[in-house]
Coordinates of all heavy atoms in Angstrom, one line a residue:
V23 N 110.0 135.2 88.5 CA 109.0 134.5 87.8 C 108.7 133.0 88.3 O 107.8 132.4 87.8 CB 109.3 134.4 86.3 CG1 109.6 135.8 85.7 CG2 110.6 133.5 86.1
C24 N 109.5 132.5 89.2 CA 109.4 131.1 89.6 C 108.0 130.8 90.1 O 107.4 131.6 90.9 CB 110.4 130.8 90.7 SG 110.4 129.1 91.2
A25 N 107.4 129.7 89.7 CA 106.1 129.3 90.1 C 106.0 129.0 91.6 O 107.0 128.4 92.1 CB 105.6 128.1 89.3
P26 N 104.9 129.3 92.3 CA 104.9 128.9 93.8 C 105.1 127.5 94.0 O 105.7 127.1 95.0 CB 103.4 129.4 94.1 CG 103.1 130.4 93.1 CD 103.8 130.0 91.9
E27 N 104.5 126.6 93.1 CA 104.6 125.2 93.3 C 106.1 124.7 93.4 O 106.4 123.7 93.9 CB 103.9 124.4 92.3 CG 102.3 124.5 92.4 CD 101.8 125.8 91.9 OE1 102.6 126.6 91.3 OE2 100.6 126.0 92.0
A28 N 107.0 125.4 92.6 CA 108.4 125.0 92.6 C 109.0 125.1 93.9 O 110.1 124.5 94.2 CB 109.1 125.8 91.5
T29 N 108.5 126.0 94.8 CA 109.1 126.2 96.1 C 108.3 125.7 97.2 O 108.5 125.9 98.4 CB 109.3 127.7 96.3 OG1 108.0 128.4 96.2 CG2 110.2 128.3 95.3
A30 N 107.2 124.9 96.9 CA 106.4 124.3 97.9 C 107.2 123.5 98.9 O 108.1 122.8 98.5 CB 105.3 123.4 97.3
G31 N 106.9 123.5 100.1 CA 107.6 122.7 101.1 C 108.6 123.5 102.0 O 109.2 123.0 102.8
R32 N 108.8 124.8 101.7 CA 109.8 125.6 102.5 C 109.4 125.6 104.0 O 110.3 125.8 104.8 CB 109.8 127.0 102.0 CG 110.5 127.1 100.6 CD 110.8 128.6 100.3 NE 111.3 128.8 99.0 CZ 112.6 128.6 98.7 NH1 113.4 128.3 99.6 NH2 113.1 128.8 97.4
E33 N 108.1 125.4 104.3 CA 107.7 125.5 105.7 C 108.0 124.2 106.4 O 107.7 124.0 107.6 CB 106.2 125.9 105.8 CG 105.3 124.8 105.3 CD 105.2 124.6 103.8 OE1 105.9 125.4 103.1 OE2 104.5 123.7 103.3
R42 N 105.2 114.0 97.4 CA 105.7 114.7 96.2 C 105.8 113.8 95.0 O 106.0 112.6 95.2 CB 107.1 115.3 96.5 CG 107.1 116.5 97.4 CD 108.3 116.6 98.3 NE 108.5 115.4 99.1 CZ 107.8 115.1 100.2 NH1 107.0 116.0 100.7 NH2 108.0 114.0 100.9
A270 N 102.3 123.5 81.5 CA 102.5 124.6 82.4 C 104.0 124.9 82.4 O 104.7 124.4 83.2 CB 102.0 124.3 83.8
D272 N 105.7 127.5 83.2 CA 106.3 128.2 84.4 C 106.5 127.2 85.5 O 107.2 127.5 86.5 CB 105.4 129.3 84.8 CG 104.0 128.9 85.2 OD1 103.5 127.8 84.7 OD2 103.3 129.6 86.0
R273 N 105.9 126.0 85.4 CA 106.1 125.0 86.4 C 107.0 123.8 85.9 O 107.2 122.8 86.6 CB 104.8 124.5 86.9 CG 103.9 125.6 87.5 CD 102.5 125.1 87.8 NE 101.7 126.1 88.4 CZ 100.4 126.0 88.8 NH1 99.8 124.8 88.5 NH2 99.8 127.0 89.3
G274 N 107.5 124.0 84.7 CA 108.3 122.9 84.2 C 107.6 121.6 83.8 O 108.2 120.6 83.9
V275 N 106.3 121.7 83.5 CA 105.5 120.6 83.2 C 105.1 120.6 81.7 O 104.4 121.6 81.3 CB 104.3 120.5 84.1 CG1 103.5 119.2 83.8 CG2 104.7 120.5 85.5
Q314 N 97.4 114.4 91.4 CA 97.0 115.6 92.2 C 95.5 115.6 92.3 O 94.8 114.9 91.5 CB 97.5 116.9 91.5 CG 97.0 117.1 90.1 CD 97.7 118.3 89.4 OE1 98.9 118.2 89.1 NE2 97.0 119.4 89.2
G327 N 92.3 121.5 87.1 CA 93.3 122.4 87.6 C 94.4 122.5 86.6 O 94.3 122.2 85.4
A328 N 95.6 122.9 87.1 CA 96.8 123.0 86.3 C 97.8 122.0 86.9 O 97.9 121.8 88.1 CB 97.4 124.4 86.3
P329 N 98.7 121.4 86.0 CA 99.7 120.5 86.6 C 100.6 121.2 87.5 O 101.1 122.2 87.2 CB 100.3 119.9 85.3 CG 100.0 120.9 84.2 CD 98.7 121.5 84.6
L330 N 100.9 120.5 88.6 CA 101.9 121.0 89.6 C 103.3 120.7 89.2 O 103.6 119.7 88.6 CB 101.5 120.4 91.0 CG 100.2 120.7 91.5 CD1 99.9 120.0 92.8 CD2 100.0 122.2 91.7
A331 N 104.2 121.6 89.7 CA 105.6 121.3 89.4 C 106.1 120.1 90.1 O 105.6 119.7 91.2 CB 106.4 122.5 90.0
M332 N 107.0 119.4 89.5 CA 107.6 118.2 90.1 C 108.2 118.6 91.4 O 108.9 119.6 91.6 CB 108.7 117.7 89.2 CG 109.3 116.4 89.7 SD 108.2 114.9 89.3 CE 108.8 114.6 87.7
G333 N 107.9 117.8 92.4 CA 108.4 118.0 93.8 C 107.6 118.9 94.6 O 107.9 119.2 95.8
A334 N 106.5 119.5 94.0 CA 105.6 120.3 94.9 C 105.0 119.5 96.0 O 104.5 118.3 95.8 CB 104.5 120.9 94.0
T335 N 105.0 120.0 97.2 CA 104.5 119.2 98.3 C 103.0 119.3 98.4 O 102.5 120.4 98.4 CB 105.2 119.7 99.6 OG1 106.6 119.5 99.6 CG2 104.6 119.0 100.9
Q336 N 102.3 118.2 98.4 CA 100.9 118.1 98.4 C 100.4 117.3 99.6 O 101.1 116.4 100.1 CB 100.3 117.4 97.2 CG 100.8 118.0 95.9 CD 100.2 117.3 94.7 OE1 99.0 117.1 94.5 NE2 101.1 116.7 93.9
A375 N 115.5 126.9 88.1 CA 114.1 127.3 88.3 C 113.2 126.2 88.6 O 113.5 125.4 89.5 CB 113.7 128.1 87.0
A376 N 112.0 126.1 87.9 CA 111.0 125.1 88.2 C 111.5 123.7 88.0 O 110.8 122.7 88.3 CB 109.7 125.4 87.4
Q377 N 112.6 123.5 87.3 CA 113.0 122.1 87.0 C 113.7 121.5 88.2 O 114.0 120.3 88.2 CB 114.1 122.1 85.9 CG 113.4 122.4 84.5 CD 114.4 122.2 83.4 OE1 115.6 122.6 83.5 NE2 114.0 121.5 82.4
C378 N 113.9 122.2 89.3 CA 114.6 121.7 90.5 C 113.7 121.9 91.7 O 112.8 122.8 91.8 CB 115.9 122.4 90.8 SG 117.2 122.0 89.5
F379 N 113.9 121.1 92.7 CA 113.2 121.2 94.0 C 113.6 122.5 94.7 O 114.8 122.8 94.8 CB 113.5 120.0 94.9 CG 112.7 119.9 96.1 CD1 111.3 119.8 96.1 CD2 113.3 119.8 97.3 CE1 110.6 119.7 97.3 CE2 112.6 119.7 98.5 CZ 111.2 119.7 98.5
W380 N 112.7 123.3 95.0 CA 113.0 124.6 95.6 C 113.7 125.6 94.7 O 114.3 126.5 95.1 CB 113.7 124.5 96.9 CG 112.9 124.1 98.1 CD1 111.6 123.5 98.1 CD2 113.2 124.2 99.5 NE1 111.2 123.3 99.3 CE2 112.2 123.7 100.2 CE3 114.4 124.6 100.1 CZ2 112.2 123.6 101.6 CZ3 114.4 124.6 101.5 CH2 113.3 124.1 102.3
S381 N 113.8 125.2 93.4 CA 114.4 126.0 92.4 C 115.9 126.2 92.6 O 116.5 127.2 92.1 CB 113.8 127.4 92.3 OG 112.4 127.3 92.1

Side-chain angles (χ1 to χ4, degrees):
V23 303
C24 184
E27 287 81 3
T29 59
R32 289 189 183 278
E33 70 285 358
R42 286 148 301 281
D272 60 335
R273 300 172 178 180
V275 182
Q314 60 191 72
L330 299 175
M332 185 78 87
T335 296
Q336 303 179 61
Q377 288 190 314
C378 292
F379 188 59
W380 283 16
S381 304

